Amino acid sequence: MILVVAEHRDGKLNRATLETIAAAQTTASPVKVAVLGSGVDAVAKEVAAADVAEVVTVDDPALKDYTADGFVLALEQLIGSENPERVFFPHTYQTRDFAPALAARVKRPLVTDCVAVKGSGYVRPMFQGKMQADVAVEGPHMATFQIGAFRADAMKSGGSAQVKNASISIDASKIRQKPEAPFKEAKQAVDLSQAERIVSVGRGIKGQEHLQLAQQLAQALGAELAASRPICDAGWLPMDRQIGSSGQTVAPKLYVALGISGAIQHLVGMKGSRTIVAINKDPEAPIFEIADYGIAGDLFEVVPAMIAELNK
Ligand SMILES: Cc1cc2nc3c(=O)[nH]c(=O)nc-3n(C[C@H](O)[C@H](O)[C@H](O)COP(=O)(O)OP(=O)(O)OC[C@H]3O[C@@H](n4cnc5c(N)ncnc54)[C@H](O)[C@@H]3O)c2cc1C
């Protein structure tokens, strides 16, 4: 059995949780989902609509606000009682905070940032995405899944799983941390991983003064604005808008790349997008290899035409 640990905030399920359930559903094992927190009935019901065997809640005031100790204490007991062969997590900031401590506590190997399930093992990128490693694991273990590696809309739903409250009590005096505001990359950071549409600009935009063109396209599409690294390094856009191995990993429905060459460090951050549109004046640019729609042309001609068409 696979136990997927759900993540939610303010009563809203994180989309990466659905992706992780989709990952678990690619295996032949039954899937259960754990929902931790305080007052999690609504979130548990939402998860129960997925095609899973059972939803297990740990509902405790000590888990109202996330702390690493609280989650480790709760999951240690839950893993003890449910005894799943594998435990899956979305590879989020929160998971990165507590999963290593949990792995040490329950003495299970932890395979992080996986992009695929391969038999009883996993595939994960190495060296900034330049290589993919096949990782074999023996015995009960845990794995985290990169955002965008699986599609949330590939999750099989239509289930009506039972919601069970695990009888677990958490000793609040053992929680050493004080809850803090959820981690954000930078002040006023945008969470691009939740964006449905993204317009991303690269060095082909030439100058900061031309960003407003990309902004107009983003507005016409109802999209967030993002960029390749050189744009953020130059300070034309804040760092929290950078996509790639040293920026955010995103998987929107639509990713429009304007004047981005498609370096591997950029691709690893956006290749999970459902539809990729690339506009680049170099027909040999690597971005076209992963684009669903490619326009080999000057973005300063193509983008105004797109905006005009969209605004019609
Ligand atoms: C350790 C490390 C980490 C990195 N992390 C990241 C990361 O997180 N994110 C990231 O993006 N990069 C990252 N990089 C950098 C990465 O290797 C590339 O250098 C970068 O992605 C290139 O950005 P670009 O595509 O905007 O620029 P370029 O590679 O310079 O490409 C510009 C493109 O614009 C096209 N172009 C030019 N003019 C026009 C026009 N008028 N109309 C249409 N197209 C035009 C060109 O044909 C070209 O393909 C990292 C590098 C390293 C070493």
Side-chain angles (χ1 to χ4, degrees):
M1 182 265 285
I2 299 176
L3 183 68
V4 174
V5 179
E7 188 170 314
H8 56 94
R9 191 170 294 163
D10 304 327
K12 218 172 157 251
L13 201 60
N14 187 329
R15 201 177 59 165
T17 299
L18 308 182
E19 297 174 7
T20 309
I21 296 172
Q25 286 173 336
T26 64
T27 71
S29 306
V31 179
K32 289 190 184 183
V33 184
V35 181
L36 280 66
S38 177
V40 294
D41 283 356
V43 175
K45 272 209 193 92
E46 195 182 335
V47 180
D51 185 13
V52 294
E54 193 174 48
V55 177
V56 193
T57 61
V58 183
D59 208 321
D60 193 298
L63 298 175
K64 183 174 177 295
D65 295 307
Y66 164 81
T67 58
D69 276 349
F71 266 52
V72 170
L73 286 166
L75 285 169
E76 178 189 11
Q77 293 181 67
L78 192 63
I79 291 169
S81 61
E82 295 289 330
N83 200 24
E85 176 71 11
R86 318 187 197 194
V87 186
F88 283 5
F89 308 87
H91 192 84
T92 60
Y93 290 121
Q94 184 169 297
T95 297
R96 276 182 252 183
D97 190 44
F98 74 86
L102 176 65
R105 185 75 64 81
V106 298
K107 296 193 173 61
R108 282 179 179 228
L110 172 66
V111 190
T112 56
D113 212 18
C114 302
V115 293
V117 182
K118 203 171 182 183
S120 58
Y122 305 91
V123 180
R124 68 186 297 276
M126 292 173 73
F127 305 121
Q128 301 279 5
K130 280 199 164 53
M131 294 175 88
Q132 304 267 29
D134 286 352
V135 182
V137 214
E138 273 176 27
H141 60 268
M142 317 206 291
T144 73
F145 288 87
Q146 192 176 95
I147 290 171
F150 289 83
R151 281 183 175 168
D153 61 8
M155 185 194 78
K156 293 185 207 114
S157 53
S160 52
Q162 283 234 317
V163 179
K164 174 180 88 178
N165 196 345
S167 46
I168 284 172
S169 63
I170 293 155
D171 181 354
S173 71
K174 288 213 173 110
I175 298 179
R176 295 163 299 179
Q177 298 102 8
K178 286 205 168 58
E180 287 187 29
F183 179 77
K184 283 189 177 174
E185 190 92 316
K187 219 173 162 204
Q188 292 178 318
V190 281
D191 187 0
L192 292 175
S193 68
Q194 303 297 317
E196 291 215 335
R197 295 182 205 104
I198 291 175
V199 170
S200 196
V201 287
R203 205 143 42 185
I205 198 78
K206 301 262 178 345
Q208 191 170 18
E209 67 277 16
H210 301 305
L211 277 181
Q212 41 116 351
L213 184 63
Q215 184 71 61
Q216 282 167 23
L217 179 62
Q219 227 157 39
L221 284 167
E224 286 283 353
L225 196 60
S228 66
R229 179 162 163 175
I231 302 304
C232 299
D233 278 353
W236 296 354
L237 278 175
M239 295 311 262
D240 55 304
R241 300 228 169 224
Q242 181 182 318
I243 304 298
S245 58
S246 42
Q248 296 206 42
T249 303
V250 296
K253 286 185 180 159
L254 176 68
Y255 190 91
V256 184
L258 305 179
I260 292 177
S261 60
I264 183 70
Q265 293 88 0
H266 188 80
L267 299 188
V268 294
M270 46 65 79
K271 65 178 171 15
S273 307
R274 189 180 324 161
T275 303
I276 297 169
V277 177
I279 300 162
N280 195 306
K281 67 177 186 187
D282 172 10
E284 302 296 323
I287 189 80
F288 287 129
E289 282 168 31
I290 62 154
D292 299 285
Y293 298 95
I295 304 173
D298 186 337
L299 74 89
F300 294 103
E301 290 168 18
V302 177
V303 175
M306 284 172 85
I307 295 167
E309 200 60 35
L310 284 161
N311 286 339
K312 264 185 197 165

